[in-house]
Amino acid sequence: MFFVLILFRRTISGDALHSLRRSLSDPDNVLQSWDPTLVNPCTWFHVTCNQDNQVTRVDLGNSRLSGHLVPELGELKQLQYLELYKNQISGNIPEELGKLTNLISLDLYSNNLTGSIPESLGNLKSLIFLRLNNNKLTGQIPRALTNIKSLKVMDLSSNDFCGTIPVSGPFEHFPMKSFEGNPRLDGPELLGSVAYDSGCN
Amino acid sequence: MQQRYIYLAYGCVIVSHVFAYVLGSVFISPCRKDFSVCNHTLCTLLSIKDSMQDPTGALATWNVSTHFCTWDGVLCSNTSQQQQVKGLLLDSRQLKGALSPEIGNLLTLSYLNISNNIFHGSIPRELGKLASSLTHLDLSHNAFNDSVPASLANCTLLTFLDLNTNFLSGSFPEFITNFTQLSYLDLSSNSITGNTPRDIGLLSASLQFFQLYNTQLTGSIPRSLMNCSKLVWLDVSNSLLSEALPSDWTRLSSTLEELNLDNSGFSGNVPETLGNCTMLTVLHLHNNSLTGEIPSSLGELRSLQDLKLYYNHLSGPVPSSLTNCTHLVYFELSGNNLTGGIPEEIGRLSLVEWLTFSMNPLLEGSIPHSIDGCTQLRQLSLYQTNLEGVLPSSLFNLSKLERLSLEDCAFSGRLPELVGNLSSLSIKLDVSHNNFEGPIPAGLGKLSNLQGLYLQGNNFEGHLPHQLSELRSIIEMDVSCSLISGTIPTSFSRLASLSKLYIRNTQIAGPIPDIFADLQNLQVLDLSRNMLVGSIPQSLATLYNLELILDLSSNRLTGSIPSSFGNMVRLQEMHLSGNMFTGRIPSAFGGCVGMQILDLSHNRLEGDVPDALGEMISLEHLDMSHNRLSGSLPSSIGDLPKLISLNVSYNMLEGVIPENGVYRTLSASAFVGNPRLSMDSPLSRSRSSDERIHWKTRIISVLLAAIVTLYCLRYYMKRKEASALDLPLWRRVFMRRKKAK
């Protein structure tokens, strides 16, 4: 165990963020301070840590970044705020983000993300803010999201979702404008003895 | 005669059939689907193609309409009449699927490169059939799994073997030590386990490149490797290798150029004989457990460009001989136990770009004056050392310096105006936690690319220069020095990219300036422990994007808490304690669904504790103690899902403490100092062990009262008797009744 501690003098969170850096294209050099040889990433700009040197925030909104997200983001176990909005990031939302059980805010809005919302995001039991609007996401809105009782702010507008809109749990309170701009999205799910879900063709 | 013609006819028929068969098999129907029977080169190649998926059409030319020697990626020998496939070069074509066992039928194949595709499954053991031809095998950057097939041992003519970045498992294939012509070996980035090959020295006549990084190999570097006198490149980094390094590198001295042994568990000393390897350009020993001193023989490595010894347990001085390595670009010794000082002649390293001696707590002395000889210096890291003294003015000639980290040392003297000459400073300037004194230089304002400025924990005095507002790239600024005075410059409104601002624990006075309208990137505003007066300015009250921390505690602020604070939906912490805020706690705080800590203690707040605080679903710590709050405690707070601590002590609260949720877990100290707050509820009585003692004292005091009452009654009655008997009263009281004898 002592041996392993010596070996991993770099931290898991530093490695995870370094994987993100390698996967992104950064024309404005906002990641210039992301030095992988430092003991932990807590002195990097746009990264915030708690008192135990665990990463709690990544703030890279509006930074002209392109490239992809990486599954290693799921290793940031104390992450609370993941702010990657208003960039040109493409590719899928990695399902590994579902491991971030301390996540309070997931802001991926205004990018070029494709694919569907991973079901695993239903595991984000602390999530309050979920904003995925203005992307090219498809597929159904996962019903697993209705289990997140803390969800207060959700915006899925301006994407290409299909199927019906959930109506239970936190979805009871979301205004319709959270879902507008999805031409293939049918209306709210009609609940009765059989849940009506047209699915996606 | 007729018989002859018959024989001729038969002969013609037979010959024509044979001819037709040959022609037919070549041109008409070359391959039936049952490829296993057909061993013709054409069939083999088509069979290999058939077992792959080719999404980009890289193998579009692989069809029967042209000769296979013209196909993309097929290399034929052009000497013999009968065309033979000599090589297949199919790298980086996004090919998927298996490598067909048919590959073993290309018996003239000498060169096979399918690197950087998505081949999976096992490496076909049929490759072993190519023993008499295969010299170059590159399967790197694919998804092959399972172990290296044992049949590959037959391919003893191999000069180049590259299997890196696959999912190969099993142990190191020892048979490689029989490949006496092997020049290039790379098995890196696989899951190979077990020991390193002990007899690798058998390849001493040929081996030039030996790469086993990023594996799970354990044990030590094989000693016989030191016999490989042609070795140019050795990389066994990022492994589980441990134990001491081989001690004698002399036989590798004329060829070794790159040595990567980093990020493993190597122990023992840095071998002195490495100093003989004068061709070395890269020496990576960082992130190990090496001990002992840095050998001064390393000063002989005149070609060395990259020396990384950081994160070990090295002791002793930095050898001054290292200043002879004038080609050094990276010189990194941080995270050790080095003693002594920075070599005086450090300026001889005119090409060095990264110089790091940080995290060597015993390193002492001052920065040598020759430092400006390092004209290419981009990063200078000296933090967490015992370095001291005044900064040499030559330091400020380093016009390419991008990051200067001097924090947590013992530097003293002034920070001169010359600091403005470091025009390339971009990442950070950190001089925090030293003994600097004098004014904060206005020259800092010239650093227009600077993103991080850290001056805190020094004896800087005087005012904050308004030129600091010219730092147009600044993201983080900390000027928390206890002797700084004056006011916060209003020109700070220009710091549009500012994300974190710390002005803590200073003598700064005056109002909080109304500058926040353009500071839309601000996440942390910490102005605590100053002498700020006045009320919260409008632009701060409406800074709704503030996301992380607002700390105005321990000042002299007045006025009321703006209800617009309720729009700071994502703010995580708000500290307003130790001021003179008046008025009510805004119920708008209920909108702060992201807030984890709210500290309003030690103010003059009055009115009720709003019910709406029960909507702050992220709240973990709530302190409203030492105020003038009245009314009763709302039960909604008890139901907050994440609340750990609540303090409402020393207020004027009344009514009964609710008993739901968090309220059950709190001790009496959370409520003390509220004289009209009822502690009589059953829950209050059982709140802590104090209550049990209280219960006991009640019983005892009741008993005592009863005893005293009884004696008083007797006293009264005895007094009546005493007045009849003329005995002192006290004797009557204690007199036993002896009457009835």
Side-chain angles (χ1 to χ4, degrees):
Chain A
M1 228 9 235
F2 171 69
F3 180 76
V4 170
L5 284 170
I6 290 174
L7 189 63
F8 292 107
R9 201 94 61 115
R10 300 187 315 260
T11 55
I12 292 168
S13 52
D15 282 349
L17 292 176
H18 196 57
S19 298
L20 179 66
R21 183 183 190 188
R22 279 197 303 258
S23 167
L24 293 175
S25 178
D26 174 23
D28 291 347
N29 221 357
V30 299
L31 303 178
Q32 189 185 20
S33 63
W34 285 30
D35 177 1
T37 64
L38 291 173
V39 171
N40 57 47
C42 299
T43 54
W44 298 359
F45 294 135
H46 315 294
V47 174
T48 304
C49 292
N50 61 15
Q51 283 168 335
D52 297 325
N53 286 335
Q54 309 268 47
V55 177
T56 54
R57 296 185 63 113
V58 174
D59 284 283
L60 291 173
N62 215 353
S63 302
R64 301 222 296 153
L65 298 167
S66 52
H68 296 201
L69 302 176
V70 295
E72 286 86 340
L73 285 170
E75 301 303 315
L76 299 170
K77 286 299 187 313
Q78 298 298 322
L79 193 65
Q80 295 178 348
Y81 288 77
L82 183 57
E83 308 299 307
L84 297 168
Y85 57 87
K86 288 195 189 164
N87 286 295
Q88 282 128 41
I89 300 173
S90 52
N92 291 1
I93 300 173
E95 59 173 13
E96 287 80 2
L97 292 187
K99 289 157 68 171
L100 300 173
T101 49
N102 287 307
L103 202 64
I104 292 174
S105 167
L106 179 58
D107 279 336
L108 303 177
Y109 60 90
S110 299
N111 277 292
N112 292 332
L113 295 168
T114 51
S116 47
I117 300 175
E119 286 276 334
S120 60
L121 293 195
N123 294 334
L124 300 177
K125 290 294 185 248
S126 305
L127 202 63
I128 300 178
F129 307 92
L130 177 61
R131 294 186 282 203
L132 305 176
N133 49 295
N134 295 80
N135 276 293
K136 298 179 182 160
L137 297 167
T138 55
Q140 295 188 46
I141 299 172
R143 290 302 174 270
L145 295 178
T146 60
N147 293 331
I148 306 176
K149 296 205 198 84
S150 48
L151 207 48
K152 285 261 180 290
V153 174
M154 161 165 321
D155 194 340
L156 302 180
S157 60
S158 299
N159 276 292
D160 189 25
F161 293 116
C162 54
T164 53
I165 302 171
V167 293
S168 55
F171 282 79
E172 278 179 40
H173 307 296
F174 297 140
M176 270 303 122
K177 75 173 167 69
S178 311
F179 305 102
E180 68 188 8
N182 284 286
R184 295 202 291 149
L185 201 57
D186 300 328
E189 177 178 62
L190 300 175
L191 291 175
S193 51
V194 175
Y196 167 72
D197 185 349
S198 68
C200 297
N201 306 333
Chain B
M1 189 63 169
Q2 265 184 336
Q3 240 181 357
R4 248 199 311 174
Y5 280 131
I6 288 171
Y7 286 139
L8 195 58
Y10 276 138
C12 283
V13 165
I14 290 167
V15 166
S16 63
H17 270 126
V18 168
F19 189 61
Y21 177 80
V22 167
L23 267 181
S25 64
V26 172
F27 292 112
I28 296 170
S29 56
C31 294
R32 290 155 283 157
K33 265 302 180 178
D34 183 9
F35 295 135
S36 57
V37 174
C38 168
N39 60 14
H40 196 285
T41 306
L42 180 62
C43 292
T44 307
L45 288 171
L46 289 172
S47 174
I48 292 171
K49 174 184 178 180
D50 222 51
S51 60
M52 303 180 201
Q53 294 139 46
D54 176 24
T56 63
L59 304 182
T61 53
W62 285 41
N63 57 57
V64 299
S65 62
T66 54
H67 193 279
F68 57 76
C69 284
T70 63
W71 292 355
D72 271 341
V74 177
L75 306 165
C76 288
S77 57
N78 49 17
T79 48
S80 56
Q81 279 177 328
Q82 195 179 6
Q83 301 276 25
Q84 293 171 332
V85 175
K86 198 174 64 166
L88 288 180
L89 176 55
L90 297 173
D91 67 298
S92 309
R93 284 162 166 77
Q94 296 180 52
L95 299 169
K96 291 188 197 193
L99 179 59
S100 165
E102 292 283 319
I103 193 84
N105 290 331
L106 293 174
L107 293 170
T108 54
L109 193 67
S110 160
Y111 180 105
L112 176 59
N113 181 351
I114 53 170
S115 162
N116 201 21
N117 284 294
I118 317 168
F119 285 102
H120 55 75
S122 2
I123 299 173
R125 60 181 192 280
E126 285 77 8
L127 278 176
K129 288 159 72 173
L130 305 177
S132 53
S133 57
L134 198 63
T135 58
H136 182 116
L137 178 60
D138 188 346
L139 307 178
S140 61
H141 290 277
N142 279 292
F144 285 111
N145 59 15
D146 217 340
S147 41
V148 179
S151 60
L152 205 59
N154 297 335
C155 298
T156 55
L157 297 179
L158 275 172
T159 59
F160 185 106
L161 176 57
D162 190 349
L163 305 177
N164 90 69
T165 316
N166 279 287
F167 299 106
L168 298 172
S169 56
S171 53
F172 184 94
E174 286 278 346
F175 55 73
I176 287 177
T177 59
N178 293 331
F179 294 175
T180 53
Q181 309 199 38
L182 194 66
S183 159
Y184 187 107
L185 174 64
D186 190 349
L187 301 181
S188 309
S189 296
N190 281 294
S191 302
I192 299 185
T193 55
N195 283 328
T196 50
R198 202 190 55 171
D199 294 324
I200 195 73
L202 292 173
L203 305 182
S204 58
S206 56
L207 195 62
Q208 294 182 295
F209 294 85
F210 185 62
Q211 293 169 93
L212 287 177
Y213 59 86
N214 232 349
T215 64
Q216 283 144 41
L217 290 171
T218 53
S220 58
I221 296 176
R223 290 295 176 274
S224 66
L225 189 63
M226 297 297 107
N227 292 333
C228 294
S229 54
K230 300 223 166 112
L231 201 59
V232 171
W233 191 296
L234 171 57
D235 190 341
V236 292
S237 59
N238 276 293
S239 67
L240 301 173
L241 292 183
S242 59
E243 301 181 35
L245 299 175
S247 53
D248 189 1
W249 294 73
T250 333
R251 247 155 295 160
L252 309 182
S253 56
S254 52
T255 50
L256 194 63
E257 290 180 20
E258 179 145 343
L259 181 56
N260 290 307
L261 303 177
D262 53 282
N263 284 299
S264 302
F266 292 115
S267 55
N269 291 3
V270 176
E272 204 186 315
T273 52
L274 275 178
N276 292 340
C277 299
T278 51
M279 304 285 287
L280 264 180
T281 57
V282 173
L283 178 54
H284 284 174
L285 299 175
H286 55 279
N287 246 324
N288 281 299
S289 304
L290 297 170
T291 52
E293 302 197 353
I294 302 173
S296 58
S297 58
L298 294 187
E300 319 259 319
L301 301 175
R302 302 300 161 94
S303 308
L304 198 60
Q305 295 172 13
D306 187 346
L307 175 61
K308 292 188 165 84
L309 302 176
Y310 62 84
Y311 295 154
N312 277 292
H313 307 298
L314 299 170
S315 55
V318 179
S320 53
S321 58
L322 288 175
T323 60
N324 290 333
C325 303
T326 52
H327 287 95
L328 271 177
V329 175
Y330 299 94
F331 188 10
E332 300 184 50
L333 304 180
S334 49
N336 279 294
N337 294 322
L338 299 171
T339 54
I342 301 174
E344 281 300 314
E345 312 230 290
I346 194 78
R348 298 185 61 204
L349 302 177
S350 56
L351 297 176
V352 73
E353 295 179 26
W354 277 54
L355 193 57
T356 66
F357 291 142
S358 47
M359 292 188 285
N360 279 289
L362 302 175
L363 198 69
E364 52 182 14
S366 45
I367 299 177
H369 283 268
S370 68
I371 191 76
D372 62 343
C374 305
T375 54
Q376 305 302 308
L377 203 55
R378 293 195 291 127
Q379 167 157 319
L380 179 59
S381 284
L382 302 175
Y383 63 91
Q384 285 178 35
T385 64
N386 211 13
L387 287 167
E388 38 136 10
V390 176
L391 298 179
S393 50
S394 54
L395 180 65
F396 304 102
N397 290 337
L398 297 172
S399 55
K400 295 197 179 174
L401 201 60
E402 293 169 16
R403 178 176 1 208
L404 180 57
S405 297
L406 303 177
E407 66 268 26
D408 295 296
C409 297
F411 292 112
S412 55
R414 297 189 160 204
L415 190 62
E417 293 289 336
L418 283 176
V419 71
N421 289 351
L422 295 175
S423 49
S424 296
L425 269 184
S426 58
I427 300 178
K428 65 171 170 176
L429 170 61
D430 193 342
V431 297
S432 64
H433 301 290
N434 279 287
N435 301 323
F436 286 110
E437 53 184 21
I440 294 180
L444 285 170
K446 293 202 216 158
L447 304 174
S448 49
N449 294 320
L450 190 64
Q451 296 176 326
L453 176 63
Y454 307 93
L455 305 177
Q456 74 272 20
N458 281 293
N459 295 327
F460 288 118
E461 52 187 7
H463 295 195
L464 291 174
H466 66 85
Q467 287 90 344
L468 289 178
S469 60
E470 291 161 33
L471 292 166
R472 59 180 139 86
S473 305
I474 202 82
I475 296 177
E476 295 186 10
M477 178 171 358
D478 191 340
V479 293
S480 307
C481 294
S482 55
L483 301 177
I484 292 290
S485 58
T487 56
I488 300 173
T490 50
S491 54
F492 274 17
S493 58
R494 289 155 59 182
L495 300 173
S497 23
L498 194 58
S499 169
K500 298 183 184 175
L501 178 61
Y502 301 90
I503 309 179
R504 290 194 277 214
N505 210 0
T506 73
Q507 318 276 343
I508 285 202
I512 301 175
D514 195 10
I515 52 173
F516 298 94
D518 290 326
L519 302 185
Q520 288 303 317
N521 287 313
L522 205 56
Q523 290 191 327
V524 173
L525 178 63
D526 188 339
L527 303 177
S528 61
R529 298 171 165 271
N530 295 300
M531 299 180 188
L532 296 167
V533 297
S535 55
I536 292 174
Q538 176 68 3
S539 61
L540 179 54
T542 54
L543 192 58
Y544 303 143
N545 286 339
L546 197 60
E547 291 236 336
L548 234 181
I549 297 176
L550 174 62
D551 192 341
L552 304 176
S553 58
S554 300
N555 277 289
R556 298 170 188 178
L557 299 168
T558 53
S560 52
I561 299 175
S563 59
S564 55
F565 272 179
N567 290 329
M568 292 184 173
V569 170
R570 290 162 62 89
L571 186 65
Q572 289 184 233
E573 295 182 23
M574 182 178 295
H575 304 264
L576 301 178
S577 60
N579 280 291
M580 301 180 298
F581 287 116
T582 51
R584 307 174 69 95
I585 299 175
S587 58
F589 269 134
C592 295
V593 291
M595 196 169 296
Q596 298 172 8
I597 301 177
L598 177 59
D599 186 353
L600 304 173
S601 62
H602 294 274
N603 277 293
R604 299 177 189 173
L605 299 168
E606 55 192 16
D608 289 30
V609 175
D611 230 7
L613 296 191
E615 292 163 35
M616 298 174 74
I617 50 174
S618 301
L619 203 57
E620 295 174 21
H621 302 279
L622 177 57
D623 189 345
M624 302 180 284
S625 62
H626 295 273
N627 275 292
R628 300 167 187 178
L629 299 168
S630 56
S632 46
L633 285 164
S635 58
S636 57
I637 293 179
D639 289 329
L640 285 172
K642 301 213 167 163
L643 196 64
I644 302 171
S645 74
L646 170 68
N647 189 352
V648 293
S649 59
Y650 298 100
N651 276 290
M652 288 153 22
L653 297 167
E654 53 195 14
V656 175
I657 300 172
E659 294 172 24
N660 58 321
V662 176
Y663 282 117
R664 295 185 156 270
T665 65
L666 298 168
S667 68
S669 57
F671 305 98
V672 77
N674 285 287
R676 282 150 66 184
L677 191 61
S678 167
M679 305 286 274
D680 274 354
S681 63
L683 193 64
S684 317
R685 263 184 250 122
S686 62
R687 206 167 279 284
S688 64
S689 58
D690 298 316
E691 306 303 327
R692 273 184 36 234
I693 293 167
H694 187 228
W695 175 79
K696 277 188 183 155
T697 50
R698 275 176 172 255
I699 300 285
I700 291 167
S701 56
V702 163
L703 278 173
L704 271 173
I707 291 168
V708 167
T709 315
L710 272 173
Y711 271 113
C712 283
L713 270 173
R714 278 190 74 166
Y715 169 75
Y716 181 66
M717 307 231 296
K718 292 302 168 191
R719 191 178 158 157
K720 277 196 163 174
E721 280 183 47
S723 58
L725 289 175
D726 284 322
L727 281 177
L729 192 60
W730 63 272
R731 287 203 62 188
R732 298 273 169 190
V733 169
F734 291 106
M735 209 166 69
R736 294 190 191 194
R737 290 186 194 154
K738 291 178 182 170
K739 283 181 192 164
K741 253 239 159 130

